[in-house]
Amino acid sequence: MTEASILFFRACFALLAMPIYLLSFLGIWEPFCRKIFFPFFLDKLSTIHNRKTKTKKQELFRNLPDFTGPSGELKLLEIGTGCGANFQFYPPGCKVTCSDVNPNFQQSLSQSMSKNQHIHYENFLIAAGEDLHEVPSGSVDAVVCTLVLCSVQSVSKTLKEVLRVLRPGGVFYFLEHVADNPSSWRYFWQQSLYPTWKLVFAGCCLTREIWKDLEEAKFSELKLQHISVPLLGMPIKPHIIGYAVK
């Protein structure tokens, strides 16, 4: 499809979302989205997403105990913890530090923590993925990031921070939605929805080719797979899943 077609549909979606654009112009939408709408939306999405990816996540995190540090304790940092959707997949005794740029997930996060008492919760940091200065360099065995790299300000800077906080031989696990094949209809709709989707869903970008950032990052080993997650009616079906070793 032509660039003109994309611009036309972008205008159509913007027109449909005009009340949100107006609220954004007035400075009302962003705080409402951050405090109320996005935590509610992410809680619902995480439940559906976990149901669709449960087997994949179980396979992904199966080798997590293999990266236990010399101390005998598995120290894990999760970037963009959100509602705590990954807690159930972590091994017993794992020491978890949670971090998120948005501190407004308290209710759903507390519920997830109470359901998953098999792991130890060390700390909660209000921090962006690009700036984890509160985490000492080389201090964690594993970093986990799922459905987060779509909305960070810089994927490359976030991956640099991941490499900094990991000990040598540490591991980075990821599961992210990404851009579809440029020749596909879904990619056309991702392009068309992009500006409105990003506004409505707290900076989520539909067209990032995150696998390229991972390939360019200085990991010693990268295991990456493209998969499809059947999320009905949503433009985020294409995903990448895997892990990278420092």
Side-chain angles (χ1 to χ4, degrees):
M1 299 294 287
T2 65
E3 186 71 24
S5 299
I6 292 172
L7 292 174
F8 171 76
F9 281 105
R10 282 185 177 181
C12 291
F13 288 124
L15 190 61
L16 289 171
M18 188 56 67
I20 294 177
Y21 277 91
L22 179 59
L23 290 172
S24 179
F25 177 76
L26 296 172
I28 297 171
W29 175 252
E30 281 78 6
F32 171 78
C33 180
R34 182 181 175 87
K35 292 179 182 179
I36 299 173
F37 173 74
F38 193 67
F40 172 81
F41 169 78
L42 189 61
D43 185 36
K44 303 304 179 188
L45 176 63
S46 296
T47 300
I48 298 169
H49 195 270
N50 257 3
R51 191 164 63 244
K52 301 284 187 180
T53 61
K54 184 174 183 179
T55 301
K56 288 291 186 182
K57 281 191 174 184
Q58 287 171 336
E59 292 173 0
L60 175 66
F61 294 120
R62 185 169 292 156
N63 67 343
L64 190 46
D66 296 343
F67 293 94
T68 299
S71 66
E73 297 177 333
L74 180 63
K75 297 178 181 178
L76 183 150
L77 168 69
E78 182 164 357
I79 299 174
T81 304
C83 306
N86 295 318
F87 292 163
Q88 62 182 290
F89 302 103
Y90 297 156
C94 177
K95 293 193 170 183
V96 179
T97 295
C98 305
S99 71
D100 206 296
V101 72
N102 186 346
N104 296 295
F105 295 100
Q106 294 98 328
Q107 185 176 351
S108 53
L109 183 61
S110 295
Q111 290 173 353
S112 186
M113 291 171 74
S114 65
K115 290 178 183 176
N116 295 280
Q117 294 294 319
H118 65 288
I119 57 180
H120 301 294
Y121 302 98
E122 296 284 278
N123 201 358
F124 183 90
L125 308 176
I126 300 173
E130 301 91 335
D131 183 10
L132 299 167
H133 66 272
E134 293 180 72
V135 183
S137 298
S139 64
V140 297
D141 304 305
V143 177
V144 174
C145 193
T146 62
L147 300 185
V148 173
L149 295 178
C150 61
S151 56
V152 297
Q153 292 293 319
S154 170
V155 177
S156 61
K157 288 181 180 178
T158 300
L159 293 178
K160 284 180 181 178
E161 277 291 80
V162 169
L163 282 163
R164 182 187 65 79
V165 302
L166 279 173
R167 64 166 175 80
V171 64
F172 172 57
Y173 291 90
F174 55 88
L175 173 59
E176 300 286 342
H177 71 81
V178 293
D180 209 331
N181 188 307
S183 63
S184 68
W185 270 104
R186 184 173 288 108
Y187 185 74
F188 169 77
W189 289 116
Q190 286 178 332
Q191 289 274 71
S192 300
L193 274 165
Y194 178 87
T196 297
W197 184 276
K198 186 177 181 181
L199 172 65
V200 175
F201 297 108
C204 175
C205 298
L206 291 171
T207 56
R208 285 186 174 172
E209 298 174 328
I210 297 170
W211 65 89
K212 292 183 179 179
D213 295 282
L214 285 160
E215 289 166 355
E216 291 170 4
K218 295 179 180 179
F219 290 102
S220 64
E221 180 185 353
L222 175 62
K223 301 288 187 182
L224 185 151
Q225 181 184 5
H226 288 259
I227 63 169
S228 198
V229 179
L231 297 166
L232 189 63
M234 299 189 74
I236 57 172
K237 187 175 180 180
H239 282 59
I240 56 170
I241 187 171
Y243 65 91
V245 180
K246 179 175 177 179

